[in-house]
Structure formats: C-alpha cells, structure tokens
Amino acid sequence: MTAMTLLRAMSAIDPKDIEAAYRAKGVRMTSAASSPVLTTEEAETADIPMPYPKPVSALKRYAIGGWAAAAACIALVAAAGLYFRSNDDNLTTPSGSEWVVELTGTSPAETVPTQTEEGVFAGSAETVTVPAVTVPAVFTAPAEAQTTGAGTESPEMSSAPAETDNGIPVTTADEGITAGAETTTAATTSDAYMITTTTAESFESYWLRQAVDKRALLATSDGRPKTQQDIAIKTKIVDDPDEIRAFLEREDPYVTFGFNGVTETQRSMIMENPIMIYVSWPMDDDRWISWGVHSAVLDRSGVLHLTFSMYSGWEAEHHETWIYEAALICKKDTLPAISNITLEIDSYEDTADTGGEQYMEYEASISEYIYISTNQTPQGGNDGSFGFMTSSPDDAP
Amino acid sequence: MEDTQIIELYFARDERALTETDRKYGGLCCSTGRQILGSREDAEECWNDVMLKTWNKIPPERPLYFAAYLVTLMRNAALTLYEKLHAEKRGGAQTALVLEELENCLTAPDDVEAQVSEAETGEMIRRFVKTLSEDARNIFILRYVYMMPVKDIAERLSIGESKVKVSLHRSRAALRDYLGGERP
C-alpha cells in the first residue's frame, strides 16, 4: 500500500460523512475546554470583564467526561506564573521598576473529579500527588539597567513571597541566584538578564485569561514528576523587536500560537515596542507527549499563570526529546513589572482517546496588549505533520 | 438552489444543472483541485471534466450528498492528473504534504502482505472514519478528502491550527493502528 493508494482510498469515505464535514462550521466547545484555567476563587475575584468564556469551577475544568472505559492515563499540568512584586513590598528596588524573574515550582496535589455521562460530577476518580519542583532560575532586571555582573549573588530571591494575594502558592528558589547573563538555566546554573523597562502600570489592565490548545509535561518516563535535577529551564527576556519578530515568524519549528484573536491594530501596537519573556525546557521522555501551553491567566495579584498540560497516547512508543517553549509577548511600556516566575505542577486524569481534545478547544487573544506564544520543537527535526515531533527511527530507544 | 433541485435539472437534462452546479460547488471543487494540483488552470480543467462526468452519470445516479459526490469525483480526477503530472514534475500544493503525512500511517509500506487493493483500503478507511469523533472526523475529511491546508481548516472550524494538527496527528496514529489491525 502506498500513501497515494491511501489518499485515493479516502474517496470511499461515506458521502454522508464527507458532506457533513463540508457543512461543519465549527467545533463543539466542551465543558472542560471552554473553561479558562482558573480556580473558582480566582474567578470570583475577577471583576474585570473577561475577553473569554465565563470561567467555571476547577472541578469542571478538570472534569473528565464518561471515559472510564477508555484507557485512562495520568497527565500533569504544569503552570508557570509570572509573579508581580511591586515596589512597596519590602523589596530592594534600585530605582524605578525592577524586573526579577525567578523560576520556582510547586505541585499541589489535586483531586481529579470525573463527570458522568449525564454531566454530573461524580467526585474524585484519582488523585495524583506531585512533589514540589523548585527551579532556581532567576533574573534581576533593574529598570535602569544596573548591571550587577555575571555570577553576582542576588538578594531579591530570599524576599520573594511564599504565597500570592489570591492564595496561589509560590515556592521560592533559595539558591543559584546570579546575575549578568542573558539566559538562565535551571537546575545547574542560574544567571540574570538585565533589562530596561518602565514603571509598572496598574494590573487591572492586565487581567487576562485564556485557554489555548497546547500541552506540556513535566514527568519522567516512569511517571515521576520531574524534579529540579530533571529540568533544565532556559529563560530569556528579549526586548529587541527584530528578535521577537524572528521568533514569531519562524516556520520550523512551528509557532502555533501567536496573535490569534488579536487585531492587526493591536498587534501593531504590541510590536511597536514589544518585550518577550521566553521560557523553554527540554523533555526527554518516552511516555508522555506534550501539547504545550494550555492557558494563561494574569490574576489581580500579578501572577501570570501559564498552564501546560500533557497527554499520553500512542506516542508513548516513541522516545523523543522535546523542547517546550512559552513566550509572553506584550507591549513593553504597558507591562507591569514582573518579578517572579513560578512553575506549578498540577494534575488531572486524561484519556488517550478523547481527553486531550478537551483542553484544546480555543485560542484567542489574552488582552489588548498581551498574548502568549508557545511552541514545541523537537531535537532533530520533525515529521512534517505535527510540527514538533521527530519520527526518525534513530530516535527510538 | 437546493441540491435536490439541481439534481432534478440533471434528470430533466436541463443544462442549467451545470450552471447551478458550477455556481454552487465550483469554488469548493476547484479549491480542492488546486490543493491537489497546485494549479488553478489544472484544477479548472479537472472541474470541467467532473461536470461533464456528472452530466453523464446523473441520471441514472441520484446522489444523496451532492457536495460529497462532486468533491469525490473532483479529487479522483485531480489525483489522476496529479500522478500524471507528477511523473514529469513536482506539483501539488498540498498533495506532497498530505502524502508525506499519510506515509506515517502505513505500517509496512514495503510489506508484500500489505498490498491490498484500493477498494479494500477504501472500505477500511470508510469504517475507520466512522470510529472517529465527529470533530476529528470532520477535520480528517477536510484535510484528506477536501485537501484543505491546516490553516484553512482552522479558520473554517473556528479553531486553532494547533488543534487541527493535533487532531490530525491523532487520527493518523489511530489510522495506522487501524490499518495494521485490519490488514488481511
């Protein structure tokens, strides 16, 4: 059988199905997918009009439909957050606004509910406890570019709060704080990137929430959540518009989430003076596959939650190294100072057949000025179909 | 004009049937042809052939799903032309990509045992598509029957390109497994 035979054979598909596809005008929004990744508490504290479907409870968000019969797998959701620390929170701020980006991780255990076929949530199906992950990756980025020099210990980390205003846990790294380099690699070394920025504006403008259609993972091949030693996170703050444009325009690997839902005018406004906070990490795993960023929420306390999710399916037979990327791009002069990035690991139950799609239903703009761009790249090319997946037999274990 | 009315025109041997067919489905079919052939002119040539073939087949045939009927004829004609042209040059905006994607669905392309007829394969594909969810099925068909680029599918269904890619990826994986299991 050849691919052409297969392609020709597609003509044998039931005309009814072919006709239905032609008539199809949209994809159904399922409950889990159409819900931003917010807890109920977060949703209730939101008083800013949301550009997106009304949030529902975390239970619903993590609800899995009646797929118990299917071969369920456990998936992890990693959330990365940018934590805002204002100038009056007892931090040392050289002058004006200050950027300190740190990568840490928390992993609260999550009880995963199930949903019956009738749509009734039926309580916990499985609980996955994920140990904490702490990734000591830190930036300091004073507004006036006060370079501290490579390898210089930064005092800011120790004063980072352990919990945000809305109760979202933030584990603060307590080691590896250095400054002076452009990128930061967690687990082994930490550097800082100096950046110039303007004084932060109100958060209120930056309340955002979004669910997008990618998934990521933070688990080892035996299902153990990645630890600090397992993860090498690189972060970078880019304020060169050309470099940001290059990031957005590259075709291989695919940039699958860009200015969706953002008008050309808004895009132009962003790109007039953009800044990009870029995070990437490799995942070498033979069990899980990632869809990348699932959602992004900047809450009122300034924490930007980038939620990644993962899926395990037939791809388990492959052993591949993936590089996951997430980039926050926004209009620089309107971005509030960001002082902290956290990685949080959450969990939910997924199924190989249907679960993944539950989290992949929509993507759109986050706010007028901010959006998230995500990407996954393989090491060694891609198969031309999925955009970020290697298919070479050489990659097999 | 409703499909049934157009078909009645065919049965009445009224040449307005061709006009109405072209008006209603010419764009769709030519688009499919262009995606396969990568050439507007070649696609229009195929479409003319398809309309003639339709005129000759109706009656006696009375398709229940006229759009699907026409697109199937169109893609078959376009694929035939593609193969003919491909012997001479590379062409086809989406065909090469689609073929590359489908290569991954072949469990053992060179396996003698895998040499099944197109008809048998067609039947397997027909059954396989029924196993997909509605959304996945629509995406799969838009890609591999209508030969739409991923971007166009995403826009048409108001979803992200990523979702389309992911859905196709999973469907192909399922197809590969299905063909492996179904292979005689």
Side-chain angles (χ1 to χ4, degrees):
Chain A
M1 185 191 303
T2 66
M4 179 57 84
T5 302
L6 203 53
L7 184 58
R8 281 187 170 279
M10 299 291 179
S11 295
I13 291 173
D14 190 338
K16 181 180 179 182
D17 292 331
I18 295 176
E19 189 91 3
Y22 171 64
R23 307 290 176 195
K25 292 298 181 185
V27 170
R28 289 172 290 106
M29 301 288 284
T30 54
S31 59
S34 57
S35 305
V37 180
L38 282 179
T39 64
T40 304
E41 292 72 21
E42 288 171 328
E44 289 173 352
T45 58
D47 56 4
I48 300 172
M50 292 183 295
Y52 240 61
K54 191 175 181 180
V56 295
S57 71
L59 289 180
K60 287 184 179 178
R61 284 187 287 104
Y62 290 103
I64 305 300
W67 309 320
C73 66
I74 304 302
L76 301 178
V77 177
L82 300 180
Y83 173 72
F84 173 74
R85 190 167 53 190
S86 65
N87 289 343
D88 59 358
D89 61 357
N90 299 322
L91 297 178
T92 301
T93 54
S95 65
S97 60
E98 178 185 16
W99 291 73
V100 179
V101 182
E102 83 189 39
L103 292 174
T104 62
T106 60
S107 53
E110 174 100 1
T111 297
V112 183
T114 57
Q115 187 176 25
T116 67
E117 291 183 354
E118 295 75 30
V120 177
F121 291 94
S124 175
E126 186 163 0
T127 299
V128 180
T129 301
V130 185
V133 174
T134 300
V135 184
V138 180
F139 300 104
T140 57
E144 302 304 320
Q146 294 90 343
T147 304
T148 56
T152 301
E153 192 88 340
S154 171
E156 280 78 13
M157 288 297 295
S158 59
S159 58
E163 186 171 292
T164 65
D165 292 344
N166 63 356
I168 297 173
V170 177
T171 298
T172 303
D174 57 3
E175 59 181 355
I177 306 165
T178 57
E182 183 173 347
T183 61
T184 298
T185 300
T188 54
T189 61
S190 297
D191 301 315
Y193 176 70
M194 308 308 297
I195 191 171
T196 58
T197 185
T198 59
T199 303
E201 294 184 354
S202 166
F203 287 111
E204 300 289 306
S205 302
Y206 302 101
W207 181 274
L208 53 92
R209 59 189 65 200
Q210 174 168 358
V212 294
D213 60 355
K214 287 289 182 178
R215 298 193 159 204
L217 64 123
L218 284 171
T220 61
S221 57
D222 59 359
R224 174 178 60 84
K226 295 279 187 180
T227 65
Q228 178 176 328
Q229 285 68 39
D230 297 317
I231 303 170
I233 295 178
K234 292 184 177 180
T235 55
K236 184 178 182 180
I237 296 179
V238 180
D239 59 357
D240 180 352
D242 291 337
E243 188 173 348
I244 295 174
R245 288 191 185 96
F247 174 82
L248 290 170
E249 291 171 359
R250 63 183 182 178
E251 295 180 355
D252 185 16
Y254 290 37
V255 173
T256 55
F257 177 38
F259 285 95
N260 295 295
V262 176
T263 67
E264 282 302 315
T265 301
Q266 291 168 337
R267 180 186 179 118
S268 296
M269 291 175 64
I270 293 170
M271 293 308 295
E272 282 175 0
N273 189 21
I275 191 167
M276 177 170 75
I277 300 173
Y278 169 91
V279 182
S280 72
W281 63 97
M283 302 298 291
D284 185 8
D285 200 289
D286 58 0
R287 179 175 173 182
W288 302 103
I289 186 172
S290 167
W291 301 140
V293 169
H294 167 51
S295 69
V297 176
L298 179 60
D299 65 24
R300 300 175 74 184
S301 60
V303 178
L304 177 63
H305 306 269
L306 302 182
T307 303
F308 300 86
S309 54
M310 57 178 285
Y311 159 78
S312 175
W314 69 273
E315 294 86 353
E317 65 194 73
H318 299 284
H319 183 89
E320 296 160 348
T321 296
W322 308 68
I323 296 175
Y324 299 99
E325 300 176 296
L328 166 66
I329 301 177
C330 61
K331 201 167 185 296
K332 185 162 66 177
D333 58 5
T334 57
L335 181 73
I338 293 174
S339 61
N340 194 312
I341 293 176
T342 64
L343 272 177
E344 298 170 354
I345 298 178
D346 213 334
S347 62
Y348 64 88
E349 185 178 5
D350 198 359
T351 68
D353 293 332
T354 56
E357 295 184 2
Q358 300 301 308
Y359 291 87
M360 301 188 301
E361 292 297 333
Y362 58 85
E363 55 185 271
S365 63
I366 294 172
S367 76
E368 187 175 2
Y369 298 112
I370 301 176
Y371 77 102
I372 303 298
S373 177
T374 69
N375 201 4
Q376 291 87 2
T377 71
Q379 288 184 342
N382 64 68
D383 66 358
S385 59
F386 204 33
F388 51 83
M389 181 175 177
T390 56
S391 59
S392 167
D394 294 336
D395 293 327
Chain B
M1 183 178 289
E2 294 295 323
D3 290 354
T4 52
Q5 293 174 297
I6 297 175
I7 291 171
E8 287 305 324
L9 290 176
Y10 278 99
F11 271 83
R13 311 312 291 164
D14 186 334
E15 292 189 358
R16 284 183 297 160
L18 297 175
T19 306
E20 294 299 330
T21 300
D22 188 36
R23 186 200 312 264
K24 189 168 184 179
Y25 294 114
L28 170 70
C29 291
C30 283
S31 173
T32 300
R34 279 200 306 275
Q35 299 300 348
I36 293 172
L37 295 163
S39 162
R40 178 186 298 272
E41 293 75 20
D42 291 342
E44 289 175 351
E45 180 185 336
C46 273
W47 174 233
N48 288 330
D49 291 344
V50 165
M51 284 202 293
L52 177 61
K53 188 175 289 186
T54 305
W55 177 260
N56 291 330
K57 291 167 78 75
I58 304 175
E61 293 183 7
R62 184 184 286 274
L64 288 175
Y65 304 100
F66 196 40
Y69 180 85
L70 293 170
V71 165
T72 301
L73 288 176
M74 182 67 189
R75 70 188 303 280
N76 287 343
L79 286 171
T80 299
L81 182 57
Y82 171 84
E83 285 189 302
K84 178 183 173 185
L85 295 174
H86 196 61
E88 305 164 5
K89 61 179 182 180
R90 287 190 66 87
Q94 291 297 312
T95 310
L97 289 173
V98 164
L99 289 174
E100 187 179 340
E101 292 172 15
L102 292 177
E103 284 286 348
N104 295 326
C105 297
L106 305 176
T107 52
D110 299 326
D111 188 346
V112 175
E113 293 180 4
Q115 302 300 318
V116 296
S117 71
E118 187 173 321
E120 290 172 319
T121 306
E123 182 55 31
M124 285 191 284
I125 295 288
R126 181 188 180 94
R127 289 199 301 268
F128 164 74
V129 166
K130 297 288 186 187
T131 68
L132 297 175
S133 69
E134 181 183 347
D135 293 339
R137 183 167 59 239
N138 288 339
I139 291 170
F140 186 87
I141 290 173
L142 289 174
R143 178 61 175 156
Y144 298 118
V145 175
Y146 293 91
M147 307 288 285
M148 285 187 184
V150 167
K151 181 180 180 184
D152 291 357
I153 296 172
E155 290 177 356
R156 185 181 186 87
L157 299 180
S158 302
I159 57 178
E161 290 183 39
S162 303
K163 175 175 173 56
V164 175
K165 291 175 189 173
V166 168
S167 178
L168 289 172
H169 178 72
R170 300 171 79 183
S171 294
R172 287 195 303 272
L175 175 60
R176 186 180 67 172
D177 293 343
Y178 192 87
L179 292 176
E182 289 278 313
R183 195 182 355 154

